Amino acid sequence: TNLSKTNLSNADLSNSDLSFANLSYVSLSDADLSDANLSDTNLNYTNLNHANLNNAILRNADLSNASLSNTDLKNTILYKTDLFYARIDNMVSFGNVGKYHRTVYYFYKEDRVICGCFDNTLEEFKKDVKIEYGEDYGAYKKCIKTFEMYKEEN
């Protein structure tokens, strides 16, 4: 499905299967995408401000350059989702971290870290990093310190 450059603001797309769709440059502000399947979907430059993505599946989705201000991402599956240059008001990220050059995302209002296939709390991330990345812990340690600062301030 190619819906590129359309206006779907305020649309109720809950429980929709939009996997593999082209939704680039689409306005989905205030849209309800809860429980929607957006796997492998192109959402590049999409406006998702104030959208509800609660329980949505965005596995392998391209959200690069998307705007997600005040977007509900609770329980959203973001496995292998491209968030480069995405504008998210409650997220901080670091790129090219560790020997696998991963991007680490921290959603500080939700206390949620996403890195590769890891998706859990900051405390769990700290534990896993020490066990899994031994020699690369230094690079991750800088991320963790910054994330803790954001968590404290918010």
Side-chain angles (χ1 to χ4, degrees), residues 37-83:
N37 182 358
L38 297 161
S39 297
D40 299 289
T41 299
N42 180 357
L43 293 156
N44 195 333
Y45 289 98
T46 297
N47 176 355
L48 288 156
N49 294 331
H50 303 279
N52 180 358
L53 288 166
N54 192 1
N55 293 312
I57 301 168
L58 285 111
R59 185 176 287 118
N60 297 315
D62 181 1
L63 281 164
S64 58
N65 299 293
S67 182
L68 293 108
S69 179
N70 295 307
T71 300
D72 184 354
L73 294 169
K74 288 185 186 113
N75 304 312
T76 303
I77 296 172
L78 296 168
Y79 181 72
K80 291 190 175 181
T81 298
D82 184 353
L83 293 165

Side-chain angles (χ1 to χ4, degrees), residues 73-127:
L73 294 169
K74 288 185 186 113
N75 304 312
T76 303
I77 296 172
L78 296 168
Y79 181 72
K80 291 190 175 181
T81 298
D82 184 353
L83 293 165
F84 283 132
Y85 300 111
R87 291 168 303 286
I88 303 173
D89 56 356
N90 69 335
M91 181 200 58
V92 62
S93 65
F94 288 92
N96 203 22
V97 178
K99 65 182 176 184
Y100 298 111
H101 309 285
R102 298 199 191 269
T103 300
V104 186
Y105 303 97
Y106 181 54
F107 297 86
Y108 47 87
K109 288 183 182 175
E110 299 174 22
D111 188 32
R112 180 179 182 190
V113 178
I114 297 175
C115 180
C117 61
F118 180 89
D119 186 347
N120 209 324
T121 65
L122 182 55
E123 276 306 309
E124 289 301 314
F125 182 66
K126 288 190 321 191
K127 290 176 190 174

Side-chain angles (χ1 to χ4, degrees), residues 99 127-140:
K99 65 182 176 184
K127 290 176 190 174
D128 282 11
V129 161
K130 287 179 184 177
I131 294 167
E132 190 72 29
Y133 298 102
E135 74 273 6
D136 286 327
Y137 180 65
Y140 285 100

